Amino acid sequence: MFELKLKVFNALFEILKEDLAVNRAYDCLKLICSASIDALNVKNEELITYSRYQLKLILEGQQSVTSMDSKDLGKWMNDKKLSAYLDRVITKHTKKFEEIGYIPVVKTNETIGGKGNERIYWLDITEYTQVQNEEIQQPDDEFISYERVDPSKVKLSWFYRLIFKNGEIKNRSLRGLILFIIIFGSIIFWALYVFTFALFLVREGQSFTSLDLLFMLCLFGFSYLSYKYWAKPIWDLPEHRVIKAPMTFISLREEHADIEMYRDRDRNQLTRVTRFRGICPICSAEVVLRTGRPDHNLPLVGRCVESPFAHVYSFDRVMMNGYRLK
Ligand SMILES: [Zn+2]
């Protein structure tokens, strides 16, 4: 059993090393697998187990665990996600395990959870044929569920950080009014500026130089870009409910974020900066919201970061789920 385990884990580790992926299940499996191999290599028969806390600590650093609620650990990782990813790896590389006759499996302890009863994970092996007979139940590839990243975790640009409190703002409040004035004030200011500039050029009359032309082109270019990427999305927000946050909203260190308008229990309209994410049911990578164009005629769709044009899902912000789009 000892040698067999080492053989299976080594095979798995080789596959993981070559078949790179960007997702948590992959990182966790790789970590557990490599530690298990190390232990087997020095003839250590003890089970190499990891709790979710330990996994998160190693993979994402001290800071990520100190600021985290213990309930979030279940969302961060669970045995279903680990097993689903492992199953995919095995299905993709069946041959290697067929030769050995055994496949790796994720095992977990029977616990109800809670303090002191931490769930732990380890890798074990099981006979290959046995699993074939049971027929691995295929996870539903057509369905995805989304979750919201805590608004306070999304880093805003310094300017909007002054207005948004913990990434949220009540539309009918002083802060909401200020945001409204800033947005529409700057559109009006810009329109006036372009108008004055044009008027000034007309007044100049004859002495219209190519430098003026360049200025004008820049002006129109800038107007067009700020309309397309800033004013238009914000204008669409009340109707679309969710938009991609314009670049000016978020910190430079942040790749992307979403802005959502919603109603709370007291029927207050709120606007918040958040991020929707899901796990791709096909390849277990992260799914983020992106524009639906050009391949889908929808404002926003969920796109897998690993395969953004093949693994595409619809997005329903009320049900927080979606179906695969083809
Ligand atoms: Zn995918």
Side-chain angles (χ1 to χ4, degrees):
M1 207 63 176
F2 206 81
E3 290 298 310
L4 213 53
K5 261 191 184 178
L6 193 58
K7 218 170 165 184
V8 174
F9 293 166
N10 269 325
L12 175 65
F13 195 64
E14 284 306 310
I15 292 170
L16 292 178
K17 262 202 307 195
E18 274 166 36
D19 202 351
L20 292 175
V22 188
N23 70 67
R24 285 176 201 157
Y26 169 86
D27 292 333
C28 291
L29 276 178
K30 201 170 173 187
L31 182 80
I32 303 173
C33 185
S34 123
S36 307
I37 292 171
D38 290 345
L40 290 171
N41 274 334
V42 294
K43 309 267 175 225
N44 178 1
E45 297 223 36
E46 260 177 71
L47 273 183
I48 301 300
T49 66
Y50 281 95
S51 69
R52 285 181 279 217
Y53 182 88
Q54 287 170 315
L55 288 170
K56 195 163 163 63
L57 181 68
I58 297 169
L59 294 173
E60 294 181 4
Q62 182 67 49
Q63 224 198 334
S64 75
V65 278
T66 41
S67 62
M68 186 195 46
D69 199 305
S70 60
K71 275 185 216 148
D72 293 338
L73 272 178
K75 280 191 204 156
W76 187 77
M77 188 45 65
N78 57 43
D79 40 314
K80 252 194 201 156
K81 285 182 189 168
L82 281 177
S83 299
Y85 188 76
L86 187 59
D87 281 348
R88 253 169 237 138
V89 172
I90 295 167
T91 329
K92 204 168 156 190
H93 303 267
T94 319
K95 267 223 165 129
K96 276 199 176 176
F97 297 107
E98 211 170 14
E99 281 164 21
I100 307 171
Y102 279 82
I103 57 162
V105 280
V106 177
K107 289 271 174 80
T108 179
N109 54 341
E110 295 295 330
T111 170
I112 38 157
K115 273 219 163 82
N117 297 318
E118 245 194 309
R119 198 168 270 285
I120 53 172
Y121 303 104
W122 66 92
L123 276 176
D124 204 349
I125 55 171
T126 182
E127 241 175 289
Y128 176 71
T129 44
Q130 189 188 325
V131 179
Q132 285 304 92
N133 294 340
E134 282 173 26
E135 266 190 36
I136 311 169
Q137 62 182 112
Q138 283 291 319
D140 193 355
D141 277 0
E142 305 296 311
F143 187 78
I144 185 170
S145 55
Y146 294 93
E147 62 181 35
R148 279 185 188 84
V149 172
D150 187 355
S152 59
K153 295 242 170 78
V154 182
K155 290 183 199 76
L156 295 175
S157 63
W158 64 268
F159 177 68
Y160 288 96
R161 218 178 307 151
L162 294 176
I163 303 174
F164 281 84
K165 208 177 183 179
N166 294 329
E168 262 189 0
I169 195 170
K170 250 188 209 158
N171 291 8
R172 281 163 201 243
S173 69
L174 188 63
R175 284 162 185 271
L177 189 69
I178 293 173
L179 185 66
F180 184 82
I181 289 173
I182 289 172
I183 289 170
F184 288 95
S186 47
I187 292 174
I188 291 167
F189 172 79
W190 187 250
L192 279 176
Y193 180 72
V194 173
F195 179 73
T196 333
F197 190 81
L199 206 69
F200 190 70
L201 279 184
V202 172
R203 281 280 181 93
E204 291 268 294
Q206 274 78 11
S207 57
F208 190 83
T209 63
S210 43
L211 191 66
D212 289 332
L213 192 70
L214 186 71
F215 269 138
M216 227 163 78
L217 282 178
C218 288
L219 210 61
F220 281 117
F222 184 76
S223 303
Y224 173 72
L225 289 179
S226 41
Y227 164 77
K228 188 171 177 198
Y229 293 106
W230 186 77
K232 179 78 168 60
I234 294 175
W235 184 260
D236 286 338
L237 180 58
E239 201 184 322
H240 290 188
R241 292 280 147 184
V242 178
I243 58 163
K244 234 34 239 174
M247 287 305 279
T248 53
F249 270 77
I250 51 175
S251 146
L252 284 175
R253 278 167 297 165
E254 204 73 69
E255 267 178 62
H256 65 95
D258 307 307
I259 299 183
E260 181 186 24
M261 200 177 260
Y262 71 107
R263 241 183 258 273
D264 68 1
R265 268 179 242 120
D266 309 320
R267 301 193 71 72
N268 287 314
Q269 286 269 19
L270 278 101
T271 303
R272 71 174 151 199
V273 181
T274 178
R275 198 159 35 216
F276 292 91
R277 63 183 297 279
I279 301 291
C280 178
I282 303 167
C283 70
S284 296
E286 196 176 25
V287 171
V288 297
L289 295 188
R290 296 259 179 252
T291 163
R293 267 166 266 278
D295 48 341
H296 295 282
N297 198 17
L298 289 166
L300 282 177
V301 293
R303 289 192 192 273
C304 169
V305 293
E306 292 288 293
S307 185
F309 294 99
H311 307 169
V312 188
Y313 307 89
S314 63
F315 170 67
D316 181 338
R317 71 163 275 273
V318 176
M319 306 304 288
M320 289 296 276
N321 61 23
Y323 290 94
R324 186 154 181 219
L325 298 170
K326 279 178 190 146

